[in-house]
Amino acid sequence: MRRQPAACISAVLACSAALPVLANGRYPAASQIAFDRVDPNHLVVSATIGLLESRDRGKTFGWRCESILGSPGNQDVLVVVTANGSTLAATPSGLLRSTDGCTFASTPELTGEIVRDIAQNRNLPHQVVAVELASENGNLVSRLLRSDDDGQSWTAVGAALPGDLLPLTIDVAPSDGARVYLSARLGAAGDFASVLLRSTDGGLTFESSDIPETSGSRTAYIAAVHPLDPDRLYVRVYDTSGTRIWSTSDAGRTFQKVFAATDQLYGFAISPDGTQISFGGPSDGIWVGSSDGTGLARRSDIAPTCLGWSSDGLYACADPKQVGFLLGRSGDTASTFETLLTFDSLCGQTGCAPETPGGMLCPDDWQRVAPIVGTTCGTDAGIADSGPADLGDAGQGNEPAPLAPDVSALRASGGGCEIARPGGGEIIWSALALLGLRLRRRAARTTVT
C-alpha cells in the first residue's frame, strides 16, 4: 500500500523510455497489491490502467478499467479488500465500492471528498478506517472515519484532527484493533516535519511523536505495522537523495534507522509470521532481512514498483519490458520469481457481463490502452475466456459484447457511479499536488492471509 507521493513513480520510470506513457501521462505500471484476508484466492492489483482482479490465486485476472473508476487520471487508486470480498477504491473523487469488480458505486458520505488513505482492522475484519480531507468554509479539515459494514456506510471517529496537520497515511495494528497509527505533516511553523500519531482507543484520541530527519521536503509514510507486535512499525521517509527506512519497537517513542537507499523505494512488505521484511526500488533491487533490521541482503536486481507478502509467497510488481512480468511471485524470498501477469495475458478481458459498466465501458478503453502498453491482443476486450468459474460471478458467456446504447451516458457520469467533485474540490486537489502531497504509493503495507 503506498508510501511516496503518487507522482514519484511516473517521474522515475518515465525516464527509462521502455514504454510510452499513457494518456493520463503516466508510465504503465502497477503500484499496489491488496489481498483478501478471508479468501486466499482473491487479490487486487492497482495499476496506472485501472485495477486488476484475480479470484483464482493469480492464474487469471479481470481488468477494471479507469472509466468505471471515475477516470482517476494521474492519481494512484488506493485499494482495500474487505472481509466480504468487496473492493474499496480511494480515488481523487471519493471512495468507490464494488462487490463484483464490474460495477463501482460511490460511497455517499465520501463522494467528492479526498480520501488520503484507507486501512482494514484485522481484528474486526468488516471494519475499515479512512482519513478524509475536506473543505469547510474555505479551510482544509481532516478527520478519521470508520466503517463497520465493509465500506457501505461511514461515521466520524472523535474530533477533527489538529488544523496544523496534513495526514498522510493510516494503519491499524493487526494484533490490536484499538491501536491506530497516523503519519502526518506539520505546517510551516513546524518546518513541515512529519510526526507519528498513536491511538490506543481506536482513533478517538492520539499522542504525537516526532519522526527523525523529516523536515522540509522529507515526508514520512507508514510502511507496515508488525503482524504480532503492535508497538513495532516501519516508516519510509521520502528524500530526494533516496528513501530512508526507520523502525520503532516502542510505538514511536524512539526510532532506529534501518536502511538508506540510493534511490526511492516503492515497495515494502512484511512476512505473515512477522519474521522478515522486504523492500526495494529502481536502483536498489529487492532486499530481504530480519524484521528487526538485521541480516539485510540484496536478493534480486528486479526493480519493484510494489511488494506484497502472503502465505503463497512474496509478490512483486515490475516493468514487464525489463523483467518479463507486471506481477510475479517468489517462493524463495525474492531469489526467483514466477510470472503471474503480463499485459499480453491480460488482453483487456474483464469477466464482466455485457450490461454492467465494466462490460460496456472497458472495451473502448482497451482500444486506447493496448497499443500504449505494447500489445495488440484482445482489442475486442470484453468477457474473459475463463468465464465466471475463474473470475467469480461477475461474467456470463465468452463472447465480447457490443456497447450498450446508453454507454455515452455512463461514460459522461464517470462509469455509472455518479461521481462528482463539489465546488472547489479540484482547486484543493491541485494545491496538494503542487505541494507534492498527492496520494502516496500504497505498495508497502503488510498483507497477511
Side-chain angles (χ1 to χ4, degrees):
M1 301 181 155
R2 309 186 137 153
R3 303 297 171 243
Q4 308 287 16
C8 290
I9 185 172
S10 299
V12 173
L13 293 183
C15 295
S16 70
L19 284 175
V21 295
L22 291 166
N24 57 23
R26 309 186 67 203
Y27 186 91
S31 57
Q32 177 197 355
I33 179 169
F35 298 106
D36 187 326
R37 297 182 177 90
V38 175
D39 179 4
N41 294 310
H42 186 200
L43 58 96
V44 178
V45 176
S46 178
T48 52
I49 63 170
L51 302 180
L52 313 171
E53 183 172 20
S54 176
R55 294 184 180 271
D56 54 13
R57 260 188 167 94
K59 295 178 182 177
T60 60
F61 284 83
W63 180 44
R64 318 308 180 204
C65 61
E66 285 192 296
S67 286
I68 63 173
L69 297 171
S71 298
N74 66 351
Q75 300 299 328
D76 292 328
V77 176
L78 308 182
V79 179
V80 161
V81 180
T82 70
N84 72 349
S86 296
T87 298
L88 302 183
T91 76
S93 298
L95 188 70
L96 306 180
R97 181 176 181 271
S98 176
T99 58
D100 62 1
C102 298
T103 302
F104 282 80
S106 58
T107 303
E109 297 92 340
L110 292 172
T111 299
E113 303 295 349
I114 298 173
V115 179
R116 293 292 294 172
D117 199 8
I118 49 178
Q120 188 177 31
N121 186 338
R122 296 177 206 169
N123 292 267
L124 300 170
H126 296 282
Q127 185 179 104
V128 185
V129 293
V131 180
E132 173 197 31
L133 189 61
S135 174
E136 294 184 1
N137 300 320
N139 298 314
L140 292 178
V141 178
S142 57
R143 59 173 59 86
L144 181 67
L145 303 176
R146 188 184 73 214
S147 172
D148 296 318
D149 54 8
D150 298 276
Q152 296 183 67
S153 61
W154 295 80
T155 56
V157 179
L161 297 173
D164 63 338
L165 291 178
L166 178 66
L168 300 171
T169 54
I170 187 172
D171 222 329
V172 181
S175 58
D176 181 0
R179 182 73 63 86
V180 179
Y181 289 101
L182 277 169
S183 73
R185 193 178 190 185
L186 297 172
D191 199 17
F192 301 106
S194 293
V195 295
L196 181 70
L197 305 180
R198 175 183 63 256
S199 174
T200 59
D201 54 14
L204 290 173
T205 60
F206 285 92
E207 296 179 59
S208 178
S209 301
D210 295 332
I211 300 176
E213 299 180 13
T214 58
S215 59
S217 61
R218 297 181 291 273
T219 312
Y221 306 89
I222 299 172
V225 182
H226 194 279
L228 304 179
D229 182 358
D231 289 337
R232 181 177 290 277
L233 69 151
Y234 308 85
V235 177
R236 290 196 302 182
V237 175
Y238 168 79
D239 192 303
T240 54
S241 63
T243 299
R244 307 295 189 256
I245 296 180
W246 295 78
S247 71
T248 174
S249 58
D250 54 12
R253 294 174 179 86
T254 61
F255 285 87
Q256 301 77 43
K257 188 181 294 185
V258 173
F259 189 79
T262 60
D263 201 339
Q264 300 314 313
L265 300 177
Y266 295 132
F268 187 100
I270 187 167
S271 63
D273 62 5
T275 61
Q276 294 178 290
I277 57 174
S278 179
F279 50 83
S283 297
D284 294 272
I286 299 176
W287 290 65
V288 179
S290 173
S291 59
D292 64 3
T294 62
L296 292 171
R298 182 167 176 159
R299 301 296 299 272
S300 174
D301 291 334
I302 289 174
T305 56
C306 83
L307 292 171
W309 211 327
S310 80
S311 57
D312 289 334
L314 179 65
Y315 289 73
C317 310
D319 182 351
K321 283 291 185 179
Q322 294 183 2
V323 301
F325 64 76
L326 182 67
L327 180 68
R329 180 173 59 207
S330 175
D332 54 13
T333 57
S335 293
T336 60
F337 281 87
E338 62 172 314
T339 296
L340 295 181
L341 179 63
T342 64
F343 286 121
D344 282 337
S345 65
L346 181 63
C347 283
Q349 297 172 344
T350 64
C352 295
E355 66 273 11
T356 64
M360 288 186 280
L361 298 175
C362 293
D364 262 4
D365 273 19
W366 188 250
Q367 308 299 319
R368 171 182 57 83
V369 168
I372 296 176
V373 299
T375 181
T376 58
C377 72
T379 49
D380 54 0
I383 305 301
D385 290 339
S386 55
D390 286 333
L391 293 171
D393 58 0
Q396 298 176 0
N398 295 321
E399 295 298 321
L403 293 180
D406 61 347
V407 66
S408 297
L410 272 172
R411 192 177 297 281
S413 69
C417 301
E418 297 181 357
I419 300 172
R421 186 175 293 151
E426 291 189 16
I427 296 175
I428 295 172
W429 190 262
S430 299
L432 292 174
L434 290 172
L435 288 172
L437 296 175
R438 296 175 180 175
L439 289 173
R440 63 179 174 91
R441 293 196 50 75
R442 186 77 177 162
R445 188 172 307 242
T446 306
T447 39
V448 180
T449 55

